[in-house]
Amino acid sequence: MYCFIGALLGTVVGVLPGLGPTATMAMLLPLTAYLDPTGAIIMLAGIFYGAMYGGSVTSILLNVPGEASSILTAIDGYQMTKQGRGGEALAIAAIGSFIAGTLAIVVLQLAAPPLADLGLKFGAPEYVALMLFCFTTLVAVSGKSKLRGILMATLGMLIASIGLDPMTGRQRLNFGFTAMMKGFDVIPVLMGLFGIAEILSSANEGLLSIYTGKLGRMIPRGVELVKGLYASLRGTAVGLGLGILPGMMPSVISFVAYDVERRSSKQPEKFGKGAIEGVAAVESSNNAASEAGLIPLLSLGLPTNAACALLFASFTMYGLQPGPLLFTQHGDMAWTIIASLYIGNVILVVLNLPLVGLWVRLAMVPYRYLGPVTLAICIIGAYSVRNTLFDVWTAIAFGILGYLMKARDWPAAPLILGFILGPALEQHFRATLQMSAGSLDIFLSRPIAILFLVMTAAVLILSYRKSIAQAFKRFG
Amino acid sequence: MKRKYVWVVSLAILVPLLTVFIGVQGVMAQAKYPAKPITVIVPWSVGGSTERVARVGAKMLSDKWGVSVNVTAKPGGKGIPGTVEALSAKADGYTLLADADGSNAIPAAWGKDVPFKIEDRTYIAKIAEFPWVFTVRSDLNWKSLDDVAAAIKASPEGIKWGWLGGTAGADGPVGQFRAALKQKGIDVSKVKMVTYPGGADLVTAVAGGHVDIGSASTTSVGPMFSAGKIKFVAVTGNNRYAGYPDLKCTAEQGWKTVTFQGHVGYAGPKGLPADIVKAIEEAIGGAIHSAEVKNELAKIGAVPAFAGSQDFRKYVLDLANELKGMK
């Protein structure tokens, strides 16, 4: 019951752009204080789920991702909506999430401790290699021009380095403003680049509603469904594999899943133009990853992302210490949570498949109403992250930037990828060099790092094989 | 022309309204403190130790006065922007700062171009203190700080020491331990200091064997310790920590200068009226020894450690002086 309320609340709040799982949980956390510990934690888990799914609704229908990990859902999902296939996209997102969620819980139940151990093997050098691999997915998301994509990613990294040096705390690029020492948070940037920019350009095009065609089917046709299911299985595998790594960001995982899917597809050119596999893979990997994140949380007390950190805080608020002892000391509690996760998944599907029709109708609201409302919610979302007006100005500034970029056909996804990955890469790279006293040999002494570096090289060679072959021909 | 008319009308309504509003506020300010909700700004994330102690403090105030006390987290920028915001608010007692070593002594001693001076704020009351734990890789047979010192002496360049770059409370014990090692003639300059962005990342790195030693809060080390992924060598302070009764404290091990405790208290903007300071001081001092408060703090690994306005100020300034030159 708590789980149902949680999932419902989570979806409803999560549907509002800018309010991803973390913000939703932080907002609803005080509400759970009136319940007993088990009920409260189950409800929080429900909220977590619901908010994850809610985020994809706006990505698909309005091209406004609620959080970093649904940026890629927006790419293909919004195209599908424009083609009148919004219902299908939403359905596959729900089905994919369900498959991924259920499989992830089975794994969580069976193999939590050894998997958590594996996650610990990832130190700074391994993360550097993995980040480099992620950057090669840039090619996949940069649209028509690779050069523009790389330039945008660089700009993203540059913007991300505003604030304080993460290692020494020294101010950099803040031009002496105290407010800018905080740097830009990812949510206001997202709200600006995607949300506000989308609203501005739609208003400019004089769009009355997002699409005036028919609702579209609710359930994808047979072939599409099969394609989507396979894609969601692959997405689940990626999500599970990377989700157990501490400090791994869900957004990174979704980039990898999208790339894997595009590469394994027979028609990679369809991606970015409304490929159902794109939506399915990203949504499944998101869900699998968020549940895989519970593995280190429950077995080692290790929060892998901000939402898990909030769950961790609510555990300790009730005097429960997540970790191996949770199962021995509070066994009933631990198993209740796991059972509630199963139920939560079922509830999400039951709740959302019928609601698909409702959400789709949302997209048919005339834009003159929908636009301003979305704009207001985007701004509230930006404010809610850190309770500062600075973030609101950030969102507006990035909205204008995003609008200009859209008009000139500069891709926004690489910018946000650079913005998210840049600081992580910097931090891990500098920590690596501190470990090795400045020598790069450390990468070659770490087997996992070598594996990712070889994969990165392979991907680069494959993507550019034509130009490399031409170069060889030319120079004999 | 019509649009101009609208402007005139709205101004005609707004101006008197604002005047009345400001007038009401003025009257309210003269009423007995507290006459409206109080905001406590936490310059760190929700769920961290500062935020949670601040909530315990907020409950003491709202229980006594029946006004709501809102704890608002404004994280980012190593706590500095949030601190500046709280301290530049009106000195009327309705905006307070949840002040901790990360926003007072540490930036004052080690920070670079910090935009505030720690002398320029009103210290109201210290609420709680909590110890730090020195944790090491589980496959090392170090059992005490002496073992760590011996290992560093034998091969300083072979040791990887994780910390937060001298920007947070967790680095207090690091500074003290390094200074104590130097005093014993042990060369710490060749030890590889590896910087992590937060306490949880640091504990994970120790558990994964990526660094050899680090210091962290009792709440963040608990799960990894019970999983057998990390070992402890000492808890800082003059007393053992109730959660780990077998773990010897630093003073007991003969490292009397390595007793750093984290603290959280309330501070406010410069020039906060003395009667307001006194009111908050009394409210916290009166409730601090209740079993409920003790219980709430124990969940965070903290103990009640009340200090009034003057003592709190002296405590912070002394701490900052001690830490200077230790990094």
Side-chain angles (χ1 to χ4, degrees):
Chain A
M1 189 60 209
Y2 289 133
C3 195
F4 179 78
I5 299 174
L8 185 65
L9 271 177
T11 316
V12 170
V13 181
V15 162
L16 308 176
L19 300 174
T22 318
T24 311
M25 282 168 70
M27 270 166 39
L28 298 177
L29 192 64
L31 208 72
T32 61
Y34 299 101
L35 306 172
D36 63 299
T38 323
I41 287 167
I42 290 174
M43 189 158 155
L44 271 180
I47 293 173
F48 180 39
Y49 268 18
M52 289 284 298
Y53 182 75
S56 24
V57 172
T58 48
S59 310
I60 291 171
L61 294 179
L62 306 173
N63 199 16
V64 180
E67 13 135 20
S69 54
S70 17
I71 297 166
L72 290 166
T73 314
I75 292 185
D76 278 297
Y78 185 58
Q79 290 302 326
M80 288 182 74
T81 302
K82 276 189 166 171
Q83 298 161 9
R85 291 157 67 208
E88 285 176 53
L90 284 173
I92 198 73
I95 298 169
S97 298
F98 172 70
I99 294 175
T102 313
L103 284 178
I105 300 163
V106 174
V107 174
L108 167 73
Q109 203 177 348
L110 295 178
L115 279 179
D117 275 4
L118 192 69
L120 284 181
K121 294 270 185 296
F122 269 69
E126 284 79 14
Y127 277 111
V128 173
L130 180 64
M131 296 287 160
L132 287 177
F133 179 68
C134 289
F135 267 109
T136 60
T137 61
L138 254 182
V139 183
V141 294
S142 44
K144 284 171 212 146
S145 155
K146 283 174 193 166
L147 182 65
R148 286 187 169 198
I150 291 165
L151 277 174
M152 281 288 119
T154 316
L155 179 66
M157 287 202 267
L158 192 66
I159 293 170
S161 55
I162 291 172
L164 288 181
D165 182 317
M167 313 298 270
T168 62
R170 193 173 266 261
Q171 302 180 25
R172 62 182 188 191
L173 294 177
N174 69 336
F175 306 103
F177 294 108
T178 310
M180 280 179 68
M181 285 170 74
K182 287 184 175 196
F184 297 120
D185 189 85
V186 66
I187 295 290
V189 174
L190 257 186
M191 287 304 102
L193 272 185
F194 289 84
I196 299 177
E198 180 66 33
I199 296 161
L200 287 179
S201 58
S202 302
N204 196 32
E205 286 162 19
L207 224 58
L208 285 181
S209 85
I210 288 179
Y211 71 101
T212 43
K214 55 184 186 306
L215 273 180
R217 313 161 61 92
M218 296 301 164
I219 302 295
R221 263 162 303 163
V223 189
E224 293 276 282
L225 186 66
V226 172
K227 268 204 268 182
L229 289 183
Y230 274 117
S232 73
L233 284 179
R234 279 189 290 265
T236 307
V238 172
L240 271 179
L242 294 178
I244 54 165
L245 301 179
M248 192 70 226
M249 290 162 293
S251 46
V252 173
I253 299 168
S254 65
F255 281 112
V256 175
Y258 189 79
D259 193 49
V260 165
E261 203 46 48
R262 201 184 62 105
R263 280 176 204 290
S264 63
S265 167
K266 289 193 189 76
Q267 302 157 297
E269 69 280 357
K270 270 181 64 192
F271 279 75
K273 298 191 189 105
I276 195 164
E277 300 100 306
V279 177
V282 170
E283 279 304 301
S284 322
S285 73
N286 266 345
N287 232 40
S290 65
E291 257 145 69
L294 292 173
I295 295 177
L297 181 72
L298 291 177
S299 56
L300 294 174
L302 192 70
T304 49
N305 54 44
C308 280
L310 272 175
L311 265 181
F312 181 85
S314 71
F315 270 74
T316 51
M317 225 176 268
Y318 293 108
L320 294 167
Q321 186 74 277
L325 295 181
L326 185 70
F327 285 85
T328 46
Q329 287 175 353
H330 304 277
D332 50 335
M333 176 90 194
W335 291 115
T336 316
I337 293 167
I338 288 181
S340 80
L341 293 178
Y342 274 115
I343 301 165
N345 259 312
V346 178
I347 289 178
L348 210 59
V349 169
V350 173
L351 195 67
N352 281 306
L353 278 183
L355 285 182
V356 164
L358 180 73
W359 300 135
V360 173
R361 245 171 239 120
L362 183 72
M364 299 187 74
V365 173
Y367 213 79
R368 59 177 178 274
Y369 303 126
L370 191 60
V373 170
T374 319
L375 187 68
I377 298 170
C378 279
I379 284 177
I380 295 170
Y383 180 81
S384 71
V385 187
R386 297 190 296 196
N387 302 314
T388 56
L389 266 182
F390 173 69
D391 286 340
V392 174
W393 295 119
T394 306
I396 294 170
F398 276 93
I400 295 165
L401 177 71
Y403 171 68
L404 294 176
M405 281 167 56
K406 235 180 156 80
R408 305 276 185 288
D409 203 20
W410 288 84
L415 192 155
I416 203 85
L417 179 62
F419 181 83
I420 294 168
L421 289 181
L425 181 66
E426 178 196 358
Q427 197 270 321
H428 289 301
F429 187 61
R430 286 170 72 180
T432 305
L433 291 188
Q434 286 178 332
M435 281 183 188
S436 67
S439 156
L440 288 173
D441 295 347
I442 187 167
F443 289 108
L444 301 178
S445 63
R446 307 275 218 152
I448 303 176
I450 294 177
L451 177 74
F452 279 109
L453 289 176
V454 168
M455 278 161 66
T456 310
V459 167
L460 278 180
I461 292 169
L462 282 177
S463 326
Y464 288 95
R465 60 174 180 259
K466 269 187 199 149
S467 18
I468 292 171
Q470 274 170 3
F472 269 117
K473 260 184 205 158
R474 198 175 303 160
F475 299 107
Chain B
M1 274 319 279
K2 209 167 189 185
R3 192 165 283 178
K4 222 172 210 170
Y5 179 67
V6 173
W7 273 109
V8 172
V9 170
S10 42
L11 272 180
I13 297 172
L14 262 176
V15 169
L17 205 70
L18 273 175
T19 324
V20 171
F21 187 64
I22 292 166
V24 168
Q25 270 209 323
V27 173
M28 272 169 71
Q30 282 160 14
K32 193 178 172 295
Y33 179 84
K36 58 175 184 173
I38 299 167
T39 301
V40 178
I41 293 179
V42 177
W44 313 97
S45 306
V46 176
S49 51
T50 308
E51 196 253 1
R52 292 174 65 183
V53 173
R55 280 195 187 283
V56 176
K59 193 161 179 302
M60 295 187 222
L61 298 187
S62 61
D63 280 354
K64 172 151 187 193
W65 294 326
V67 295
S68 55
V69 180
N70 306 314
V71 176
T72 311
K74 304 207 174 210
K78 310 264 183 207
I80 290 172
T83 306
V84 169
E85 186 181 334
L87 296 182
S88 49
K90 208 171 154 201
D92 57 3
Y94 293 104
T95 309
L96 303 176
L97 169 70
D99 205 2
D101 16 10
S103 53
N104 53 43
I106 301 260
W110 298 339
K112 293 171 184 111
D113 26 83
V114 177
F116 53 74
K117 282 196 174 132
I118 52 166
E119 290 83 4
D120 291 346
R121 71 180 74 167
T122 310
Y123 292 93
I124 303 171
K126 183 154 71 72
I127 301 171
E129 283 189 4
F130 49 92
W132 296 94
V133 175
F134 279 105
T135 171
V136 299
R137 258 167 57 192
S138 59
D139 54 337
L140 293 172
N141 56 0
W142 300 348
K143 289 192 176 58
S144 64
L145 287 185
D146 288 334
D147 291 348
V148 178
I152 293 175
K153 195 172 182 183
S155 129
E157 59 282 337
I159 305 291
K160 288 186 217 113
W161 193 338
W163 72 327
L164 308 183
T167 56
D171 295 330
V174 178
Q176 288 184 335
F177 191 30
R178 281 171 62 95
L181 286 169
K182 268 187 229 160
Q183 234 164 28
K184 298 201 175 196
I186 297 173
D187 180 18
V188 288
S189 64
K190 289 207 186 82
V191 173
K192 291 177 185 131
M193 300 301 290
V194 184
T195 312
Y196 287 90
D201 307 273
L202 174 56
V203 176
T204 312
V206 177
H210 305 293
V211 291
D212 303 307
I213 180 169
S215 51
S217 68
T218 53
T219 40
S220 63
V221 290
M224 286 289 188
F225 177 71
S226 45
K229 303 285 174 208
I230 51 175
K231 281 202 266 192
F232 296 159
V233 289
V235 60
T236 60
N238 298 316
N239 298 302
R240 293 192 184 188
Y241 170 63
Y244 304 112
D246 299 333
L247 181 63
K248 285 187 178 167
C249 64
T250 46
E252 216 177 332
Q253 295 186 17
W255 296 82
K256 295 211 172 2
T257 55
V258 193
T259 52
F260 191 90
Q261 302 285 306
H263 74 263
V264 180
Y266 281 174
K270 193 180 181 181
L272 200 62
D275 54 327
I276 292 176
V277 172
K278 195 153 172 275
I280 303 173
E281 216 180 343
E282 280 174 5
I284 290 173
I288 193 87
H289 294 297
S290 76
E292 193 198 344
V293 167
K294 203 175 168 189
N295 204 1
E296 280 300 307
L297 289 177
K299 283 185 193 166
I300 321 165
V303 290
F306 176 77
S309 177
Q310 290 307 316
D311 296 340
F312 185 19
R313 183 185 179 85
K314 186 172 180 302
Y315 174 90
V316 172
L317 299 185
D318 287 352
L319 187 62
N321 266 333
E322 187 205 333
L323 291 176
K324 259 176 210 154
M326 267 190 180
K327 188 171 175 180

